[in-house]
Amino acid sequence: MSTTQWLWRWRSNPLRRHEDIVEAWIVLVVWVVAVVGGALAALVTAQAADHVYAEQRAHRHAVRAVLVSDAPHGFAADWSTDGRVRGAVRWTAPDGTSRTGHTMVDGGLKAGARVTAWQDDRGRLLLTKPTDGAQGHVEAALFGAAAALALAAPVFAAGAVARARLDRRRMARWDQEWNLGGPRWGPRAG
C-alpha cells in the first residue's frame, strides 16, 4: 500500500465528507495514545516492579534455621507448586533472640534438619525468598507488557465504537441522498 493510498483521508477530495475527516483524526489519536501511552505505561510499570523486586532483595536476608517438627510429604499439608510444604522452624533473629515460625521447606525433612529461611530487616520470617535479578527483570517486563495492553485495549475499543457510530451516520446520510437522487434514475432493480 503506497503512502498516498494510506493517507487518502487527508487529501483534498470532493467526495470526502466531514465524517471521513473525523474518522481520520480518531484513527490518528487512537494510534498515538495506544503506542505512546502504552509505551509509557509499560515503562513506568516495569520500572516500578523492578524497584519493588530490588527493595525485596535489599531487605530480605537468608538465615540458617532448624526444622522443629517433621515436614509432611506432598499434599499432607499446605504445599506449593514446587513441592515445598509449610514447616515450623527455629532461627536466630538479627537482635540475637531465638524465634520460631513457619516457612516453606522441602517435604519429607525430619525434625532437626537445617534449612535456609528468609527474614526481613526486623527479623520477621518470610514464606518465600526474594525474586532474583533475572527473574525480577522478566516479571517486570511482563507486568509492563500487561500494562501496555491494559491501556491499549480500551483505547482501541473506544476508537472502534466511535468509528462504528460514524459509519452508521455515514450510511444514514447515504440513504438520504439515495432517496433524493435514486428515483430520478429510474426503477430500482431487486
Side-chain angles (χ1 to χ4, degrees):
M1 179 184 298
S2 72
T3 305
T4 54
Q5 287 174 335
W6 186 72
L7 294 174
W8 70 270
R9 292 181 175 126
W10 300 101
R11 293 190 319 226
S12 178
N13 183 339
L15 298 177
R16 182 182 67 192
R17 299 169 188 251
H18 176 70
E19 289 86 0
D20 299 329
I21 296 169
V22 171
E23 183 179 22
W25 280 105
I26 288 171
V27 169
L28 179 66
V29 168
V30 163
W31 276 100
V32 167
V33 169
V35 171
V36 174
L40 287 174
L43 185 64
V44 168
T45 303
Q47 285 180 346
D50 218 16
H51 177 73
V52 167
Y53 292 137
E55 285 287 318
Q56 285 180 356
R57 286 189 297 275
H59 297 289
R60 292 184 179 185
H61 312 286
V63 63
R64 298 299 297 169
V66 176
L67 197 59
V68 175
S69 60
D70 292 347
H73 288 283
F75 297 107
D78 294 337
W79 60 282
S80 66
T81 56
D82 62 357
R84 295 169 55 90
V85 296
R86 192 173 158 111
V89 296
R90 183 176 46 251
W91 80 101
T92 304
D95 62 4
T97 60
S98 179
R99 296 187 183 175
T100 58
H102 289 85
T103 190
M104 301 305 279
V105 297
D106 293 330
L109 291 177
K110 300 292 181 195
R114 294 207 173 268
V115 296
T116 300
W118 293 87
Q119 67 179 355
D120 63 11
D121 290 336
R122 290 185 257 171
R124 291 181 300 191
L125 194 62
L126 305 168
L127 285 177
T128 60
K129 68 179 183 175
T131 305
D132 66 11
Q135 184 181 3
H137 292 312
V138 169
E139 287 184 18
L142 290 174
F143 283 135
L149 287 174
L151 178 100
V155 168
F156 279 121
V161 168
R163 290 181 68 196
R165 287 186 177 177
L166 283 173
D167 281 342
R168 269 196 303 258
R169 196 166 142 189
R170 195 172 9 233
M171 290 296 184
R173 290 182 88 187
W174 283 349
D175 200 28
Q176 287 174 344
E177 290 177 14
W178 179 261
N179 288 337
L180 290 175
R184 287 187 271 161
W185 294 349
R188 291 186 187 176

